[in-house]
Amino acid sequence: MVTAERNLWPQDLFTTVDVQRTPLAILREQAAILGDNARNLIEARVVTTTDYFLTRDFLQTFNLVSPVLSNYTYQLFQVQHPIEGYPLVVSFEDSQKKIDSEDEFIEELKTIFASEKTRRVIQAMIAQSQS
């Protein structure tokens, strides 16, 4: 057993956790909402990978999936971020955008979800799923 004088960790380290929503939590929330709105004809799945040796960042890939079409998967965008969450980089179509805060991230997601490209892909996937 470690005595109090040997414990060098701050006493409030684990009790004052900042309750910020992580980029992954935001993406998973939006993935669930898409599935509900599309009556699960289209789902979104977030795949997490890490590149520990080069950047130590997380890479979140936001995929659109059609269970009816043998789990056809379309990669819509990617988000790369450090363990702290921000700043992050969103890669959509042929561009990358640096995002410094949760509010900016939410605005960027709104832009991506409302884009003509996203609309065309989702509508095509729904049409194929209903055939």
Side-chain angles (χ1 to χ4, degrees), residues 14-38:
F14 305 104
T15 58
T16 57
V17 177
D18 183 14
V19 189
Q20 155 186 323
R21 289 191 314 161
T22 66
L24 178 58
I26 294 167
L27 293 172
R28 284 181 175 163
E29 173 186 72
Q30 294 308 306
I33 292 169
L34 174 66
D36 290 345
N37 287 340

Side-chain angles (χ1 to χ4, degrees), residues 77-120:
F77 64 91
Q78 291 185 315
V79 177
Q80 181 178 352
H81 64 86
I83 189 71
E84 297 90 352
Y86 299 92
L88 56 79
V89 175
V90 176
S91 300
F92 176 64
E93 293 189 296
D94 293 327
S95 67
Q96 293 187 333
K97 186 171 184 181
K98 182 180 175 206
I99 306 290
D100 292 315
S101 69
E102 181 179 328
D103 290 338
E104 284 182 44
F105 185 41
I106 289 170
E107 288 305 312
E108 183 64 16
L109 290 177
K110 285 180 185 178
T111 300
I112 291 170
F113 296 153
S115 75
E116 190 59 36
K117 177 69 173 184
T118 301
R119 289 172 181 267
R120 280 195 318 266

Side-chain angles (χ1 to χ4, degrees), residues 6-99:
R6 290 182 61 196
N7 182 357
L8 305 178
W9 293 98
Q11 294 303 306
D12 66 343
L13 179 62
F14 305 104
T15 58
T16 57
V17 177
D18 183 14
V19 189
Q20 155 186 323
R21 289 191 314 161
T22 66
L24 178 58
I26 294 167
L27 293 172
R28 284 181 175 163
E29 173 186 72
Q30 294 308 306
I33 292 169
L34 174 66
D36 290 345
N37 287 340
R39 299 178 318 278
N40 293 317
L41 288 172
I42 306 298
E43 298 174 352
R45 297 182 188 154
V46 182
V47 178
T48 302
T49 56
T50 58
D51 184 359
Y52 183 79
F53 293 108
L54 292 178
T55 64
R56 297 187 177 186
D57 285 351
F58 290 96
L59 183 64
Q60 314 291 353
T61 303
F62 194 92
N63 294 320
L64 302 176
V65 180
S66 174
V68 176
L69 299 173
S70 299
N71 286 316
Y72 172 81
T73 301
Y74 182 90
Q75 180 181 309
L76 188 60
F77 64 91
Q78 291 185 315
V79 177
Q80 181 178 352
H81 64 86
I83 189 71
E84 297 90 352
Y86 299 92
L88 56 79
V89 175
V90 176
S91 300
F92 176 64
E93 293 189 296
D94 293 327
S95 67
Q96 293 187 333
K97 186 171 184 181
K98 182 180 175 206
I99 306 290

